[in-house]
Amino acid sequence: MAADLEEKTERYGRLLTEALEAAAIAPPAGTPMAEAAEECYEMAASYLEDGRHFEADDDLVNALAAFSYGHAWLDAGARVGLFDVPEEGHLFTV
């Protein structure tokens, strides 16, 4: 079971990293929607940082949770049009 948690944590960390690299803010700069997109992106990036911290402390349960929450911020933002994201592939559910 510990091996499953380790593999899943690593996979979700990579997935969030790739998703952050692939997501681009869609609304025009200076608009309220662009500000919302920036905040969502910042939350996702913060959860990635938190997850890496937990992972380094061998706290894989909280690392996995942080990576999952971070990806949820991006995925939700993509669904409502805050981000331009690839529509093909495994990164987003658009």
Side-chain angles (χ1 to χ4, degrees):
M1 180 122 140
D4 291 340
L5 178 59
E6 187 174 321
E7 184 277 327
K8 187 174 251 184
T9 301
E10 289 175 11
R11 183 167 31 102
Y12 277 58
R14 284 191 311 271
L15 183 67
L16 178 53
T17 300
E18 289 177 42
L20 281 164
E21 291 171 359
I25 294 175
T31 64
M33 292 301 284
E35 185 176 320
E38 290 167 5
E39 289 174 6
C40 286
Y41 191 92
E42 184 178 320
M43 287 298 294
S46 293
Y47 273 115
L48 176 62
E49 185 177 322
D50 291 349
R52 288 180 176 161
H53 172 78
F54 289 129
E55 197 172 29
D57 285 348
D58 204 31
D59 184 354
L60 298 183
V61 170
N62 282 319
L64 178 58
F67 295 148
S68 297
Y69 286 139
H71 197 272
W73 277 94
L74 288 180
D75 218 19
R79 295 282 296 205
V80 299
L82 295 178
F83 302 112
D84 286 327
V85 297
E87 293 185 20
E88 300 295 322
H90 65 284
L91 295 177
F92 297 96
T93 59
V94 290

